[in-house]
Structures are given as structure tokens and as C-alpha cells.
Amino acid sequence: MLRQYELVERVKAYDPDANEDLINRAYVYSVKVHGSQQRASGDPYFAHPVEVAGILTRYRLDTATIVTALLHDTVEDTATTIDEIEKGFGGEVAKLVDGVTKLSKIELQSREESQAENFRKFLLAMSADLRVLLVKLADRLHNMRTLKYIASEDKRRRIARETLELYAPLAERIGMRDFQEELQDLAFAELNRDARDSIVRRLEFLAERGGDVVPRIIGTLEELMKAESIEAKISGRKKTPFSIWKKMQQKAVEFEQLSDIMAFRVVVKTVADCYRALGALHSKYRVVPGRFKDYISLPKPNGYRSLHTGVFGPGGHRIEVQIRTEDMHQFAELGLAAHWQYKQHVAAKDTEAYRWLRGLLDILEQGADAEEFLEHTKLEMFQDKAFCFTPHGDLIELPRGATPVDFAYAVHSEIGDHCVGAKINGRMVPLRTTLKNGDQVEIVTSKAQTPSPEWERFVVTGKARARIRRFIRLRQRQEYLDLGQAMLEKAFVARGGAFTGKVVEPVLRQFGQASVEDLVAAVGQGNVSVGDVARAVIPGAETVQAPPKKKKDDAKKPKKDGKDTGAIQLKGLIPGMAVHFAGCCHPLPGERIVGIVTTGKGVTVHTIDCDSLEAFADMPERWIDVAWPEDGDDQTRVGRLHVTVSNEPGALGAITTLIGKYDGNIQNLRFTARTTDFFDMLIDIAVRDVRHLTTIIAALRGQKVVAAVERARS
Ligand code: MN
């Protein structure tokens, strides 16, 4: 336990003007009134408030907060009254102690009252002064550190759950990451001990095998920054078992695949240096796609700023790197606490965290359904929502970025379908306007209106999107019918036949279609392969281009027949080894390729730039050098294009005709997005090699209706 003089010394070290006398008196008072009370651990009770005060000194908090920490349980657990605290320690401390006491009482009631009502009171109680929350968080942190001494498993689990659902998110929201991480990890240890133990064991094993790589990586990064003349302080750490576990859950991956368990921080002088440091990293190391986040240009809702990126760093280790300035770092480390640091009484009312809290309270005070509110706030407290009102005062909860169209659909599907305009707080606004917390929204409807494809570009709720899509689907059916008809006619002619409704009737069932019209639409939409239909009706007669047999299900049945892709002899492979061509990147003869060995399944071939290779980045033993044979074979292979086309009459026909003209055989076609102006689609084309496909791409790019063509890589 921290001794009296040690506590005072710690405070004096960062705040020479601290009221030493007040801290001393609070310490003595706490020891006296808690008397012989004991903690579950068998320690004297007063050790607890002293430890709580000690935790808060790490954040350099002011005298009133430290004194409150020492006294925080006196009113709740001893005969002391708030009046006595006020007489002995002044009004400011009394108010803070009162706030913490109220929070503790709410905790005790939690089983009798509804959790939502409880949460509402909780927010109200801490809103008076956010220092109350800081003390409460430190209180909870110490209680979690000593949780193991509580005998009742039920009680331990209840406290751990509450910590995970309420306190850890609150700590995150006010930017106190250390608190958040420790709270989560302690709760995790209670709630899922086995999972945590296995992660810890695994981390230990990795550390034993590879030695501690963290200092080595720091050294390498330091050299890199030095070479670029960037002054930087670099630190690194392993992530907590809880955050590793969460990542495993989110991505549904095994520990083996999860290699980014180390995070590094680069603290530099200026914002410009942040971006220079980022540039240095990105040019030296391969970037992990999708990991770069610029929270400097676009800070998190809690005010956090930093650059985040992921790279395959020194030694091929996949690492996360955060880059920030000293100021940003200070904020990230201290969060809200930074505002109560000694000599730094920034008006807390101006902070983001305070505004966020006020916003929540306003909503609650306006009578939102507390249960529903809690459901959405508990774990996702921070994905800021927009709470809006109908003219009757009903609360509609929407995700951030929602528009009046989302609002209209949230009220009722019919209102959404027929909305023509919206008033926000009495003023007419465009339908694409982003709604803000507290907006009152009135939707103007017209029976004549129907959903516009345009809306799909700005709505954010699933419900609105689903309704709009449904409507557009109906309207698009006619276009799919036209396209399907054209594709079928062409395919049948190529096989020496002719397409009519009659000839396909016998195969309808085979393709799971109820009518000829359905089949034609399914082909136009890309759900049924035109080649399959043509082959089913006119078997045997292969077309000049000989459509390859390779289909999606080849991966499961690699050696269906001798003509299969498995038969090709790639350079670098032992004859007879099963070969599959990856569906993600569709490798074509003439391209640089690489093989990945999968036990029991042979070799999967990817293009060298395929994103999926990332998953195998740290398994060099599975990589195998392969190359196409020089003389090739006569077979065609499927290349996939991502094409964006103007949404105008005849556009689709023009494209299919052009591809045919260049000897490409459309195997499949699927729309991925469609707006009033453009549609995006994936087209699978059987080609001879990469040059053949490149020729087709060039030809497509020359078409007026084609906005963009790329090889699809996914
Ligand atoms: Mn306590």
C-alpha cells in the first residue's frame, strides 16, 4: 500500500502547489473512519481508497480529485455524511464525493432496477463533473485488480461483465486507453479464462522461440527515421490478450494467422513529420492493405488524432504503427484527464467528451425508450448515432451520416417509398442532407413518387437500402431480360443452333428456373451462365473458342477430367501435382504467378500481386515458384474484368458485341452496383492468355459508353 508521505510526494512531484495539508488530512480521515473494515483480500479497507488515489496520480490530477479518491467510499460505507465532508474538506470535494457515492448506489441497485434506467441515472450522476467519472474509473480499476479475492463466482462475473459493457467503453470514450485496456483484460480473465490463458501461453511460446523481437524492431525503425532525418521517439509493445482475442473473433481467424500482435508508436515533432515518417515506412516496407487510417485529418469522435498503418516490417513481422506528435500523444495517453491536470484547468465544457455526454443526456431527458437506447449504446457507445425526432416527438435512432430518406424508411416503408422532400427543424432541405443529433424531421410525401436509384448513393441504413434495391430490381428486370435474350441468342448461334423459348423448356428445372422468362432474366443478370445453358441444350458441339471447363466448383473437384486446369504442367511443379487457379485473381498465361501449397489439396496458383497472398506472408514454406510453360496449351482460361458502363440504352449490348468481336467468350456477368448514371459489373471472359485479355480491355476502353475497365482482383 502507498504510504501517506509517498502519496503526497507523488502529487508534489507534478504539482508543487498542491494542497499538502488537505491530502494529509483526507488520508488520515479515511484511515480513521474505515477503521477495522476489511477488503475481500483481507487487506485493511483503507488500502483501497489510497490505491485509487495512487492510480489517479499517474494522470497528474488536481488536489480535489486526489482527495476525493481518498474519501470516495466514506459516505457509502461509514457513518460519515456529506455535510461532514463539506465542513472538513470544502464544497468542491463534497460535491465530487457526493457524485461518486451516487454512482456507487446506482451500481448496488443494478439488480433491482432495469439496467437501462440504471444507466440513465449513471450518466446523469456523473454529468455534473466529469472528475467523478475519473475517480469512479480508478475505483473500478482497483476493484478489478483485486476481483479474484471475491468468493462468489456469480458476483465476480457480474462485476466483470459490467466492466466490459459499461466502464471500459466509458474509458475509451473519454480517451483513457490505458484504463480501457486494463479493464478489458481483467474482465476477460474472469469471463473467459481459458481463452485468455491459451493466448498468453501462445505469446510466451512465440517470445521464447523468437526472443523478444520488440526491441529489435524498435532499433530498426529508429535507424529508418534517422536515415530520413526525422526526429522520433519510438516505443513498442505487445497487444493485450483481450485485443488479440477480439481481433480473432472479428476476423474469425486462428491465432496462427494472426501475426500482428505487436504495435509500435512513433512520436515526432510536427504534423508534417508524421506524414514524412509514414512515407518512410511505406516506401521501405510492404503495406498491409486496408490498415491505413488518417485520424489526423479526421479525428475520432473522442478527439483522438494519429496516423495508423500496418506494414510487413523488419524481419517480415506484421506490425501496427501509430504515428503522432507529442501533443497528440499527450492527449491519447491522458484523454479527458488532461483537462484537470494541475495548472491546466481547461474548461471541460469545451471538450468533445463533455459534448458527447451532454448529447446523451439530452436524448435521455427527452424521454427516449431507455431499454432500446441502452441496447444500442452499451457496446457501441462510440459509433456515434444521430437521434432525431418526428413532429410528434417520437425518437428515431439512426446511424451517423443518416439522411432524411433513412429517417423516412425508419418511420415506415411506405413513407420512405413516397418521400419527395424533408423539413429539418421546419426548413426544407435536400434529401441528401446529413441529420444531426436532436433534429426534428418532417417528411413530405407524394403518392406519385417512387424510390429513386439516386438515393442509394447516400442512404446509410440497411432498411432504406434494401427497400430501394427491391424497387430498382423490379425495374431492372426488363433490362436483364433484354440482355439475357441477346447473350443466349449469340451463344446458341455459336454452337450451331438457335435460341427459342421451346428449346430451353426441358432444361428449366436443371437451372432451378420456373419459366423461360426467369431463365432469360437469370442469364442477363449473371446468375446462370450462358455457356452452361447452351451446353445443356446443344451438348457436344464445342464452339471455336472452346469455352474452358473451368468453373467455380472446380476447386472442389480438381481432377474431374483430363482437360481440366489440373492437367497443365506448370514449370516448377512436380508432374501430377494437383493445381488450382485461384478464383480471386484469375491468373492467365503470360502473367507472373506464384503457387501456395495447401496440405491435401495441392497447389493454388495466384498472380504475384494478388491480395490474398497477404494471408500467407509469414509462411514462406508454403510458397512455391511456378511459371507458365513456354509453348502453352490450346485451352482458354477465364479472366475477370470489372467494368463500369454508362447506364444508357444499348450500352450492355454494345459491350457484349465488342467482346465477341475480339474472340472473347462471356462466361458470366454479374452486376455489383447500379446507379442512375452508371453500372458496375464483373464479366468473366474466356481468353487464351493475358495478352488476349489486354486486347479486349483496350478495345473496351475505346468504347464511349465504357467509363472504366480493370482486371478484377478480389
Ligand atoms: Mn471504492
Side-chain angles (χ1 to χ4, degrees):
M1 189 185 85
L2 209 55
R3 289 164 193 277
Q4 186 173 343
Y5 74 89
E6 286 170 331
L7 178 66
V8 171
E9 266 173 16
R10 274 208 211 170
V11 177
K12 292 289 259 187
Y14 63 77
D15 182 4
D17 303 329
N19 188 338
E20 200 175 330
D21 171 54
L22 201 66
I23 297 171
N24 277 321
R25 279 196 289 121
Y27 192 106
V28 172
Y29 186 86
S30 180
V31 170
K32 190 183 89 190
V33 296
H34 284 298
S36 58
Q37 287 176 350
Q38 280 190 349
R39 297 273 290 172
S41 59
D43 284 342
Y45 194 92
F46 59 77
H48 165 68
V50 171
E51 289 301 330
V52 173
I55 290 170
L56 290 169
T57 58
R58 267 200 354 233
Y59 293 88
R60 306 158 69 97
L61 288 168
D62 64 0
T63 304
T65 312
I66 301 298
V67 169
T68 301
L70 289 169
L71 301 174
H72 80 269
D73 278 333
T74 56
V75 174
E76 177 74 19
D77 293 338
T78 75
T80 303
T81 65
I82 284 292
D83 284 347
E84 284 166 19
I85 298 283
E86 182 159 6
K87 276 192 205 106
F89 302 95
E92 188 184 10
V93 170
K95 255 167 90 181
L96 290 171
V97 172
D98 191 37
V100 181
T101 306
K102 279 184 181 142
L103 289 192
S104 307
K105 277 197 184 133
I106 291 165
E107 247 170 44
L108 288 176
Q109 288 163 357
S110 64
R111 274 149 301 166
E112 292 144 37
E113 271 193 86
S114 91
Q115 206 188 358
E117 184 53 25
N118 219 31
F119 180 61
R120 195 180 81 87
K121 286 187 180 162
F122 194 92
L123 288 174
L124 282 169
M126 73 189 198
S127 66
D129 191 324
L130 286 177
R131 280 177 294 181
V132 167
L133 176 58
L134 298 179
V135 176
K136 193 66 212 169
L137 283 173
D139 176 43
R140 176 52 64 119
L141 182 58
H142 185 248
N143 286 338
M144 285 301 293
R145 284 177 184 171
T146 53
L147 187 68
K148 57 175 181 279
Y149 297 112
I150 292 176
S152 153
E153 190 188 339
D154 274 0
K155 192 175 174 192
R156 285 200 314 266
R157 294 184 72 87
R158 180 179 63 76
I159 293 172
R161 258 195 305 276
E162 194 180 57
T163 299
L164 210 53
E165 290 177 354
L166 184 59
Y167 289 95
L170 280 169
E172 183 186 11
R173 191 57 181 84
I174 62 171
M176 303 187 69
R177 219 210 34 213
D178 287 355
F179 265 61
Q180 176 208 341
E181 287 191 344
E182 193 178 346
L183 286 172
Q184 282 173 333
D185 211 45
L186 290 165
F188 181 41
E190 176 59 42
L191 295 172
N192 204 340
R193 163 83 50 194
D194 289 348
R196 189 176 183 279
D197 284 351
S198 72
I199 290 172
V200 170
R201 270 199 303 275
R202 180 70 193 156
L203 286 174
E204 281 165 1
F205 169 75
L206 288 178
E208 255 169 52
R209 198 184 55 173
D212 200 354
V213 293
V214 172
R216 286 211 298 271
I217 294 179
I218 290 178
T220 312
L221 293 180
E222 277 170 350
E223 276 165 32
L224 175 65
M225 292 302 144
K226 213 166 161 191
E228 300 285 328
S229 314
I230 301 167
E231 212 179 306
K233 273 183 260 168
I234 299 174
S235 57
R237 66 196 174 93
K238 291 205 180 77
K239 293 185 181 176
T240 64
F242 179 76
S243 66
I244 291 172
W245 180 73
K246 225 170 87 182
K247 194 158 271 179
M248 285 165 72
Q249 301 263 303
Q250 278 166 358
K251 295 186 166 174
V253 294
E254 297 297 318
F255 195 95
E256 308 297 328
Q257 294 166 262
L258 194 82
S259 38
D260 50 346
I261 51 174
M262 287 174 287
F264 293 84
R265 191 169 294 142
V266 179
V267 178
V268 296
K269 295 272 174 205
T270 64
V271 173
D273 281 352
C274 290
Y275 290 97
R276 284 178 60 213
L278 180 77
L281 272 174
H282 281 186
S283 52
K284 170 98 192 221
Y285 300 110
R286 197 150 70 81
V287 177
V288 179
R291 285 305 181 81
F292 174 63
K293 299 265 160 46
D294 185 348
Y295 294 120
I296 292 182
S297 311
L298 200 69
K300 283 193 185 180
N302 66 9
Y304 172 87
R305 300 201 302 154
S306 247
L307 298 176
H308 288 192
T309 190
V311 293
F312 296 95
H317 291 285
R318 188 165 150 172
I319 57 172
E320 272 190 15
V321 185
Q322 301 169 347
I323 307 168
R324 50 175 76 144
T325 64
E326 193 62 61
D327 279 356
M328 296 173 195
H329 183 55
Q330 176 92 342
F331 181 86
E333 290 295 290
L334 297 174
L336 188 69
H339 298 288
W340 276 283
Q341 274 185 32
Y342 88 105
K343 282 195 209 160
Q344 211 183 316
H345 286 264
V346 180
K349 281 186 167 49
D350 292 337
T351 62
E352 278 297 320
Y354 186 85
R355 271 198 290 275
W356 158 77
L357 188 60
R358 256 338 303 171
L360 279 186
L361 291 167
D362 288 346
I363 295 152
L364 288 165
E365 278 159 8
Q366 297 198 38
D369 178 342
E371 284 293 341
E372 193 187 329
F373 179 69
L374 178 69
E375 215 27 67
H376 294 283
T377 7
K378 252 192 329 197
L379 285 172
E380 303 178 335
M381 202 174 265
F382 315 124
Q383 300 175 355
D384 290 13
K385 308 247 172 191
F387 295 90
C388 301
F389 297 90
T390 68
H392 304 298
D394 293 333
L395 180 89
I396 304 292
E397 188 197 308
L398 296 163
R400 192 190 176 102
T403 63
V405 176
D406 292 295
F407 182 92
Y409 277 108
V411 173
H412 198 284
S413 307
E414 285 295 311
I415 296 181
D417 283 349
H418 298 298
C419 84
V420 286
K423 283 183 188 171
I424 295 180
N425 304 325
R427 276 186 40 229
M428 276 309 277
V429 296
L431 285 174
R432 58 166 61 250
T433 309
T434 304
L435 297 176
K436 288 199 286 294
N437 251 334
D439 278 346
Q440 193 195 67
V441 186
E442 188 184 341
I443 299 295
V444 185
T445 59
S446 155
K447 278 271 164 280
Q449 175 72 355
T450 55
S452 157
E454 191 84 8
W455 296 351
E456 223 196 308
R457 286 197 223 169
F458 56 74
V459 297
V460 299
T461 54
K463 186 177 179 192
R465 185 162 286 136
R467 284 292 293 198
I468 297 165
R469 289 222 174 121
R470 195 182 82 98
F471 183 85
I472 295 169
R473 261 204 309 278
L474 292 176
R475 199 156 60 186
Q476 281 173 350
R477 188 168 160 91
Q478 190 53 48
E479 284 184 65
Y480 291 141
L481 283 171
D482 295 345
L483 181 62
Q485 179 81 22
M487 286 168 73
L488 283 162
E489 280 171 8
K490 185 167 176 295
F492 276 63
V493 168
R495 297 175 78 88
F499 172 72
T500 62
K502 232 189 191 106
V503 299
V504 292
E505 258 168 22
V507 301
L508 285 180
R509 177 173 290 195
Q510 183 184 335
F511 291 98
Q513 303 298 326
S515 67
V516 174
E517 196 186 279
D518 283 350
L519 179 69
V520 176
V523 168
Q525 204 173 346
N527 294 339
V528 168
S529 149
V530 63
D532 288 351
V533 178
R535 269 190 296 278
V537 176
I538 316 168
E542 287 298 318
T543 59
V544 194
Q545 292 97 347
K549 298 270 159 79
K550 183 180 181 301
K551 277 171 287 177
K552 270 185 187 157
D553 58 1
D554 275 5
K556 289 171 212 147
K557 298 175 248 167
K559 287 183 184 170
K560 213 164 46 185
D561 62 44
K563 274 188 186 167
D564 202 284
T565 47
I568 183 159
Q569 187 51 52
L570 294 177
K571 282 162 60 178
L573 288 187
I574 302 156
M577 233 169 153
V579 180
H580 323 288
F581 292 91
C584 42
C585 51
H586 295 274
L588 293 173
E591 282 188 291
R592 280 193 64 200
I593 47 176
V594 71
I596 296 292
V597 181
T598 309
T599 319
K601 285 187 187 162
V603 177
T604 306
V605 175
H606 294 265
T607 60
I608 195 81
D609 58 348
C610 179
D611 281 348
S612 343
L613 291 175
E614 189 205 306
F616 306 98
D618 41 14
M619 307 173 205
E621 68 282 1
R622 294 181 54 183
W623 293 59
I624 182 165
D625 266 337
V626 292
W628 298 98
E630 265 117 42
D631 46 353
D633 54 8
D634 295 337
Q635 246 188 293
T636 55
R637 281 201 176 70
V638 174
R640 178 170 286 181
L641 296 185
H642 180 237
V643 186
T644 306
V645 186
S646 312
N647 192 353
E648 59 187 73
L652 291 178
I655 288 183
T656 47
T657 309
L658 185 80
I659 293 172
K661 201 172 126 198
Y662 281 87
D663 263 3
N665 209 329
I666 297 183
Q667 299 289 299
N668 216 334
L669 181 150
R670 185 159 57 84
F671 293 92
T672 52
R674 187 159 182 157
T675 65
T676 34
D677 304 348
F678 292 100
F679 26 54
D680 282 350
M681 54 195 174
L682 292 173
I683 310 181
D684 290 347
I685 307 174
V687 291
R688 288 182 297 277
D689 54 23
V690 68
R691 278 177 58 195
H692 186 186
L693 190 65
T694 312
T695 311
I696 293 175
I697 293 174
L700 285 171
R701 284 189 178 143
Q703 287 287 103
K704 215 176 73 215
V705 292
V706 175
V709 190
E710 300 295 340
R711 287 284 295 278
R713 306 273 191 205
S714 61

